[in-house]
Amino acid sequence: MTLLEIFDPKARPSPIGIDLGTTNSLVARVRDGRPVVIDDCNGERLLPSVVHYDERGRAVVGDSARRLAQSHPRETIVSVKRFMGRGANDPETRRLGPYEFAEPKGPEDAKSVRFKVRDAVVTPVEVSAEILKELRTSAERELRSVGGAVITVPAYFDDAQRQATKDAGRLAGLEVLRLLNEPTAAALAYGLDKQQNGLFAVYDLGGGTFDVTVLLLDNGVFQVKSTGGDSSLGGDDMDRALAERLLEEMGATRRTPEVVRLALDTARSIKHALTDAMQIEIELPVQAAEATGGPASKLVTVTRDELNALITPLLERTGVACRRALRDAGVQAADIDGVILVGGATRVPHVRDYVARLFGKEPLKDIDPEEVVALGAAIQADILAGSMDRADEVLLLDVLPLSLGIETMGGVAEKILPRNTTIPAGARQVFTTYADNQTGFDLHIVQGERELAADCRSLARFVLKGIPPMPAGMARLEVTFRVDADGLLGVTAREQTTGVEQKVEVKPSYGLTDEEVEDMLLAALDHGEEDLLKRRLVEARVEGERVAMATRKALAADADLLEPGEREAIEGALTGLDAAIRGDKPGLILARTEALDEATHGWAGRRMDRAVARAIAGKQVEDVEAKVAAAKGVDAHLAEHGGGDASHAPVEASGAGPAKAGVEARRS
């Protein structure tokens, strides 16, 4: 018997947690201190993540839409989560379903997938918003008034995919309190329910994405130690592998959208049936029956062993990500105290057996893997809404999945926030100018683990203008990175001498492709030694060119201080350095740079004496001491704020040669 809940019109709106899934979505709330999933009007907890657009352009969501998918495949969007944040020209876009896409008319249109549905064009954000609206309606039916929402995302969603999810929530009329990584949400549900401490792995295999997270639970503190995964791997790929076999059985030489949808839906039902049965018989239509006069259908038997053989290569891909996550966390599989299963695809017996072998222990199964993420999101929403009985119990410490930084002189990627940094987080670095009279800086933000910016992913570019012309080395450009709790990046660039400042929210145009998501870390490992050698060569060239340019400038200004034989020695050292810079041996470049420094040592001392004499001519000793003290104060400020010696980080001027640690700068 269920007690009636009495509605209090003065009560504040209730926060909700939403698992916006690839195959199914759920909404949950906290009631009497415990998270519960909210049923829809038909008593169902799972809402199929399917949207159909009828003749009038109205959206039909859920089971009704799924029933229309086979007869109206182009008008019914399935697994829209896999399109979130993707570009129109992304290879994965064309592979995911029997859809018709609107061709991009320009660069802006190419930034996002656009489905052609009847006479309309819709984006993945709009489709996802329809699913979120349906979940909001279910919550309002029970709660009367809905407060803020926590929406979960795969840990490996990049900035574009996270931003697209947040935009969909706002379009659905929700106040998005936070985007929460799905593995962290699952651990939150398990940790608070069981009050367990220890080291846990979260194996999250959903309909379209795979995440693995290693985290430490310690008296209410959830610290993510490492994370990994694949944003284009899940139960849908299992269905696709089985569907290929079914299409062969059907003799489907003409793969129309209707035939492809039939094969995918049949494959999914077979996968579900083989969770309990060892084999299943299914009747399939024969496409060539009319032409050959043969039977219109045939019985096909599919065994669990056959399904296991088809999905084993997919599971091995998850194993690679799991082993990498363990290595990044600095632990072995034997150190893991428990493995939490998340996602509907983990119901497949072969998946559970594979996870048990991979980690050497049976995974936890206490909470429904399809509900655990929504329950954790509800708990986090309750905390963010100010629930006093939970606010002091839990602290979430998520991490960055990939390093963030800027392109520096010579194309080097300078990491400002390294991978696996706990978020929210912030960091800053100070740069200076390479050439005289620079009046602007062009900053390039990159993401990835490689040493060169060309091998990383470009996130954004922006320009800081209005810097007064100053001698090289005088400007102080402070670049600050801040990542919020949702994993979204904001960048601030400020010239410290003048106070000129520019801020930007980094919103890349579309998400990572299949290959980029999986290969970014693998490439960093495979090319680690090669990348370091390239970086050493670039930095040596930058430093050599900087020293050579400064020497030639000094020769033009103070040649009268040269003693007999010094010019010949200096010019010989310059010639040797120029030749080394054109080569590919960083050690030789550094040696020739040091030789030039040695050749100019005595002359540089005389130049310094002249400069000091000019600076103090006609000045009082007290004035000079005050200026020296002020200069020391500036150096201390730079050291305190992580800038170090900014003179060792020159910024490139447009038209000038490369220099060490430089963001490209523009001269007006």
Side-chain angles (χ1 to χ4, degrees):
M1 178 178 177
T2 302
L3 295 177
L4 292 175
E5 289 192 55
I6 300 175
F7 172 64
D8 180 3
K10 295 183 179 180
R12 64 181 181 180
S14 299
I16 57 175
I18 293 176
D19 176 10
L20 183 60
T22 305
T23 307
N24 297 295
S25 298
L26 303 91
V27 59
R29 60 170 290 200
V30 170
R31 181 173 62 200
D32 299 328
R34 295 184 65 83
V36 294
V37 175
I38 297 175
D39 298 343
D40 65 13
C41 58
N42 298 316
E44 298 292 335
R45 294 187 169 192
L46 297 178
L47 175 72
S49 301
V50 183
V51 179
H52 171 79
Y53 290 89
D54 64 16
E55 294 83 353
R56 299 182 182 181
R58 295 177 303 185
V60 179
V61 183
D63 275 318
S64 300
R66 186 164 59 182
R67 287 193 290 269
L68 293 166
Q70 187 175 328
S71 58
H72 298 82
R74 293 189 188 278
E75 293 79 27
T76 308
I77 313 299
V78 180
S79 300
V80 69
K81 185 175 180 177
R82 301 192 75 164
F83 294 93
M84 294 292 277
R86 292 193 179 277
N89 297 321
D90 190 329
E92 181 74 0
T93 296
R94 308 288 169 166
R95 190 176 73 89
L96 285 177
Y99 307 114
E100 184 177 358
F101 300 99
E103 291 299 325
K105 298 179 181 178
E108 287 302 313
D109 285 350
K111 291 180 180 179
S112 176
V113 175
R114 300 160 72 241
F115 300 102
K116 284 186 70 175
V117 181
R118 301 188 191 277
D119 296 328
V121 174
V122 295
T123 66
V125 169
E126 293 171 296
V127 177
S128 297
E130 296 295 344
I131 298 170
L132 292 171
K133 286 178 187 176
E134 192 70 18
L135 294 172
R136 189 195 71 189
T137 300
S138 295
E140 288 175 341
R141 188 177 295 111
E142 178 172 323
L143 301 173
R144 305 291 180 92
S145 180
V146 171
V150 169
I151 303 177
T152 60
V153 292
Y156 241 58
F157 257 23
D158 68 2
D159 195 83
Q161 293 164 310
R162 290 171 185 269
Q163 189 63 53
T165 303
K166 202 166 190 177
D167 291 343
R170 290 169 177 164
L171 189 60
L174 293 167
E175 178 193 356
V176 182
L177 297 174
R178 181 178 176 183
L179 300 179
L180 181 64
N181 285 348
E182 290 167 1
T184 309
L188 187 58
Y190 261 100
L192 290 182
D193 185 53
K194 301 300 178 184
Q195 292 298 316
Q196 292 180 348
N197 289 338
L199 197 64
F200 286 78
V202 182
Y203 184 97
D204 182 356
L205 186 61
T209 58
F210 170 68
D211 289 318
V212 58
T213 299
V214 178
L215 55 102
L216 180 66
L217 278 62
D218 185 12
N219 296 322
V221 177
F222 288 64
Q223 182 178 5
V224 176
K225 307 296 288 184
S226 67
T227 187
D230 190 329
S231 66
S232 298
L233 175 63
D236 285 355
D237 298 279
M238 299 180 186
D239 299 341
R240 191 176 292 113
L242 182 54
E244 286 292 336
R245 188 208 151 174
L246 299 181
L247 288 167
E248 292 177 5
E249 295 282 357
M250 294 162 61
T253 55
R254 291 180 294 105
R255 297 193 175 187
T256 64
E258 291 78 10
V259 170
V260 171
R261 176 52 59 198
L262 172 63
L264 289 170
D265 290 346
T266 304
R268 179 170 297 170
S269 65
I270 291 174
K271 180 184 69 178
H272 292 167
L274 290 177
T275 298
D276 300 314
M278 295 304 296
Q279 69 176 41
I280 185 174
E281 282 191 347
I282 192 91
E283 186 174 0
L284 294 174
V286 177
Q287 192 177 71
E290 293 183 6
T292 61
S297 64
K298 64 186 293 188
L299 277 177
V300 175
T301 300
V302 182
T303 67
R304 183 184 288 182
D305 288 342
E306 289 173 329
L307 176 64
N308 293 349
L310 289 171
I311 67 176
T312 293
L314 302 174
L315 297 183
E316 289 174 349
R317 285 172 59 186
T318 72
V320 171
C322 289
R323 287 186 285 271
R324 186 169 62 241
L326 290 171
R327 183 175 61 249
D328 289 345
V331 299
Q332 304 290 329
D335 300 325
I336 299 296
D337 296 306
V339 182
I340 298 172
L341 293 181
V342 179
T346 62
R347 293 183 184 276
V348 176
H350 191 45
V351 175
R352 297 192 173 194
D353 293 342
Y354 180 83
V355 173
R357 292 194 303 272
L358 184 64
F359 289 96
K361 53 181 61 66
E362 286 295 320
L364 301 175
K365 307 170 185 175
D366 299 39
I367 304 178
D368 188 323
E370 289 191 287
E371 296 184 0
V372 63
V373 168
L375 298 176
I379 292 170
Q380 178 66 3
D382 194 52
I383 294 170
L384 294 177
S387 176
M388 297 305 293
D389 57 338
R390 290 182 180 269
D392 296 331
E393 292 183 29
V394 62
L395 174 63
L396 296 182
L397 299 175
D398 256 328
V399 297
L400 288 175
L402 294 168
S403 299
L404 297 167
I406 61 173
E407 180 178 357
T408 62
M409 294 298 293
V412 172
E414 183 74 15
K415 296 178 178 66
I416 293 181
L417 282 174
R419 178 171 175 257
N420 283 329
T421 296
T422 301
I423 59 173
R428 67 185 64 182
Q429 193 161 334
V430 177
F431 300 88
T432 190
T433 49
Y434 175 84
D436 294 337
N437 301 320
Q438 292 180 216
T439 59
F441 303 98
D442 186 4
L443 289 95
H444 182 202
I445 315 301
V446 295
Q447 178 185 38
E449 305 309 309
R450 302 289 295 273
E451 295 296 330
L452 300 183
D455 299 319
C456 295
R457 184 184 183 224
S458 174
L459 289 185
R461 294 178 184 268
F462 71 99
V463 178
L464 181 67
K465 297 180 178 179
I467 309 301
M470 286 183 273
M474 291 298 293
R476 293 290 188 270
L477 178 66
E478 182 181 79
V479 179
T480 303
F481 277 34
R482 296 191 185 280
V483 178
D484 64 18
D486 295 329
L488 300 177
L489 171 65
V491 180
T492 302
R494 180 176 181 271
E495 203 291 305
Q496 293 181 326
T497 307
T498 61
V500 175
E501 184 174 279
Q502 175 75 28
K503 297 181 180 179
V504 64
E505 282 190 21
V506 177
K507 296 180 181 179
S509 56
Y510 53 86
L512 299 175
T513 64
D514 264 354
E515 292 76 13
E516 288 173 326
V517 172
E518 179 62 21
D519 290 348
M520 285 182 85
L521 292 178
L522 293 178
L525 294 173
D526 293 342
H527 300 280
E529 185 174 349
E530 173 190 342
D531 286 350
L532 286 174
L533 288 174
K534 288 181 179 178
R535 179 171 184 144
R536 282 188 60 207
L537 177 61
V538 167
E539 291 182 340
R541 283 173 173 168
V542 165
E543 181 65 10
E545 289 176 347
R546 184 186 69 82
V547 172
M549 184 177 69
T551 302
R552 289 188 170 95
K553 183 178 177 181
L555 282 172
D558 293 317
D560 60 306
L561 294 178
L562 290 168
E563 294 183 349
E566 279 188 330
R567 176 179 283 276
E568 291 76 11
I570 292 173
E571 289 181 346
L574 278 170
T575 301
L577 177 57
D578 290 341
I581 289 173
R582 290 192 294 271
D584 59 359
K585 296 179 180 179
L588 179 61
I589 298 173
L590 292 175
R592 297 283 174 83
T593 303
E594 291 175 1
L596 178 59
D597 183 63
E598 182 65 27
T600 60
H601 185 74
W603 174 52
R606 294 190 292 277
R607 292 185 66 236
M608 180 64 70
D609 291 342
R610 172 184 282 183
V612 171
R614 288 174 176 172
I616 65 175
K619 301 285 182 66
Q620 297 293 325
V621 175
E622 292 80 4
D623 295 337
V624 175
E625 289 176 343
K627 288 188 176 182
V628 170
K632 288 182 178 179
V634 171
D635 289 341
H637 173 76
L638 291 176
E640 179 183 352
H641 289 81
D645 183 358
S647 65
H648 292 293
V651 180
E652 182 182 6
S654 179
K660 180 180 177 183
V663 270
E664 182 187 5
R666 296 182 177 179
R667 178 183 300 165
S668 300

